[in-house]
Amino acid sequence: MEEVVIQKKGISIIGAFILIILMTLVQFVLYILVGIIIEYTGLEQVAPYVGMLKELIINILIVYWIIKIFRCKEEFKLKVRNKPRVKEYLFAIVFLFAHLFIFSNTVGLLIDKIQVSEWVIEAFDEMLVNPFIAFVSICVFAPVFEEIIFRGIILEQLSKRYGMATSLIVSGFIFGLIHFNLHQGANAFFIGIIIGFIYLKTNSLLLCMFWHFANNFLVFMSAMYLSSNVSDAVPSFSIVQLIFGIILLIAAYRFFNNRAVEMEEEQELSLTDS
């Protein structure tokens, strides 16, 4: 009697890490190939916009490649059709400030005591030489393509096989890992958990992109316009900010939990009516 092998849905934790390693390698190869093509065609003459063009092309190719992998196994679609309500956008902002207040008065204080790597500072300074390119890279490309990959694909696939907590922690850890430095990585880990929670509760990739954009926009504005005196100031603990952040966190958490229940009830009603 033949054994029936049931293929598990989604992706395993090991599979998710392998996918990110492969993505990083493919991304590295594409940077070299696209760079050669751009140089061969003479497009390097329009520098510094070549780097932005290269980043756009590579991100599109990476997303197309990963989506094609999963479409070979199952019917896969990105959840971009679920348009968020105004109230969801507002509570996404509440979640953002909750994270900023809590992180800056807990983990952020410990991380700030560790010296930032020179290559990170140089890379960021080089990016900020051209504010327009920096804005597009930080506030447009990153929110769109990173949310597609890490929430729309990796978290979506992990959630098909594991519970919410496991899926959020693993996807958040991977999201932090790909930033390749402790300061951004620690922050990105918690950001990944928050955006992932919003994604699983609303099924809206657009809302995740909005949250990511809002966060990166604040980072961009801080980097561009804060004075050197402020940026060099030693961060201090604020119990008021921490408590306020916890209150905002609870409010946002409850809202998205209740929103998920409302969406399930709406789906049941629509099925009943049809």
Side-chain angles (χ1 to χ4, degrees), residues 73-176:
K73 300 178 180 180
E74 60 182 87
E75 185 180 349
F76 178 79
K77 291 182 180 179
L78 294 173
K79 294 178 178 178
V80 293
R81 293 184 179 181
N82 298 329
K83 296 180 181 179
R85 298 177 178 178
V86 175
K87 203 170 183 179
E88 290 172 332
Y89 282 116
L90 293 176
F91 273 92
I93 294 296
V94 171
F95 235 144
L96 172 60
F97 281 99
H99 165 71
L100 292 175
F101 289 142
I102 295 174
F103 183 82
S104 62
N105 287 285
T106 52
V107 180
L109 289 175
L110 300 175
I111 297 296
D112 284 334
K113 293 180 180 179
I114 303 172
Q115 187 174 0
V116 182
S117 302
E118 286 295 327
W119 71 267
V120 175
I121 298 174
E122 291 175 3
F124 210 72
D125 288 342
E126 184 179 344
M127 181 184 295
L128 293 174
V129 170
N130 188 313
F132 174 74
I133 292 177
F135 176 82
V136 173
S137 179
I138 296 172
C139 300
V140 179
F141 289 170
V144 172
F145 292 108
E146 288 181 6
E147 288 313 306
I148 289 174
I149 293 171
F150 292 99
R151 256 61 66 181
I153 299 175
I154 292 178
L155 176 58
E156 174 70 21
Q157 294 299 316
L158 284 170
S159 66
K160 292 179 179 179
R161 184 174 295 201
Y162 305 100
M164 177 181 288
T166 301
S167 302
L168 289 176
I169 292 172
V170 172
S171 62
F173 181 76
I174 293 174
F175 186 55

Side-chain angles (χ1 to χ4, degrees), residues 24-265:
T24 304
L25 293 175
V26 171
Q27 196 172 29
F28 176 74
V29 173
L30 286 175
Y31 261 104
I32 296 175
L33 292 177
V34 174
I36 293 173
I37 293 171
I38 289 176
E39 184 178 356
Y40 178 77
T41 54
L43 289 174
E44 74 277 2
Q45 296 177 1
V46 296
Y49 298 98
V50 171
M52 187 171 67
L53 176 63
K54 186 192 298 186
E55 185 179 357
L56 176 62
I57 293 172
I58 290 171
N59 278 323
I60 291 173
L61 291 174
I62 289 290
V63 167
Y64 175 78
W65 170 64
I66 297 178
I67 290 177
K68 195 169 183 180
I69 289 176
F70 287 102
R71 281 185 176 169
C72 292
K73 300 178 180 180
E74 60 182 87
E75 185 180 349
F76 178 79
K77 291 182 180 179
L78 294 173
K79 294 178 178 178
V80 293
R81 293 184 179 181
N82 298 329
K83 296 180 181 179
R85 298 177 178 178
V86 175
K87 203 170 183 179
E88 290 172 332
Y89 282 116
L90 293 176
F91 273 92
I93 294 296
V94 171
F95 235 144
L96 172 60
F97 281 99
H99 165 71
L100 292 175
F101 289 142
I102 295 174
F103 183 82
S104 62
N105 287 285
T106 52
V107 180
L109 289 175
L110 300 175
I111 297 296
D112 284 334
K113 293 180 180 179
I114 303 172
Q115 187 174 0
V116 182
S117 302
E118 286 295 327
W119 71 267
V120 175
I121 298 174
E122 291 175 3
F124 210 72
D125 288 342
E126 184 179 344
M127 181 184 295
L128 293 174
V129 170
N130 188 313
F132 174 74
I133 292 177
F135 176 82
V136 173
S137 179
I138 296 172
C139 300
V140 179
F141 289 170
V144 172
F145 292 108
E146 288 181 6
E147 288 313 306
I148 289 174
I149 293 171
F150 292 99
R151 256 61 66 181
I153 299 175
I154 292 178
L155 176 58
E156 174 70 21
Q157 294 299 316
L158 284 170
S159 66
K160 292 179 179 179
R161 184 174 295 201
Y162 305 100
M164 177 181 288
T166 301
S167 302
L168 289 176
I169 292 172
V170 172
S171 62
F173 181 76
I174 293 174
F175 186 55
L177 205 61
I178 59 98
H179 285 78
F180 300 111
N181 69 88
L182 180 62
H183 291 77
Q184 284 182 299
N187 190 31
F189 168 71
F190 292 103
I191 286 175
I193 290 178
I194 292 174
I195 306 179
F197 177 79
I198 292 174
Y199 176 79
L200 294 179
K201 291 297 181 180
T202 64
N203 288 325
S204 176
L205 202 54
L206 293 177
L207 192 59
C208 297
M209 291 177 183
F210 168 76
W211 198 103
H212 200 149
F213 163 79
N215 177 78
N216 285 16
F217 180 73
L218 291 177
V219 171
F220 172 76
M221 294 298 289
S222 298
M224 289 298 300
Y225 298 110
L226 283 184
S227 66
S228 58
N229 292 331
V230 174
S231 61
D232 292 337
V234 178
S236 58
F237 174 75
S238 172
I239 186 65
V240 175
Q241 285 187 7
L242 180 58
I243 293 174
F244 187 53
I246 292 172
I247 293 172
L248 293 179
L249 180 68
I250 294 172
Y253 175 84
R254 292 186 63 181
F255 170 80
F256 283 108
N257 254 341
N258 294 335
R259 180 69 189 120
V261 174
E262 290 176 6
M263 289 176 64
E264 289 179 3
E265 292 175 351

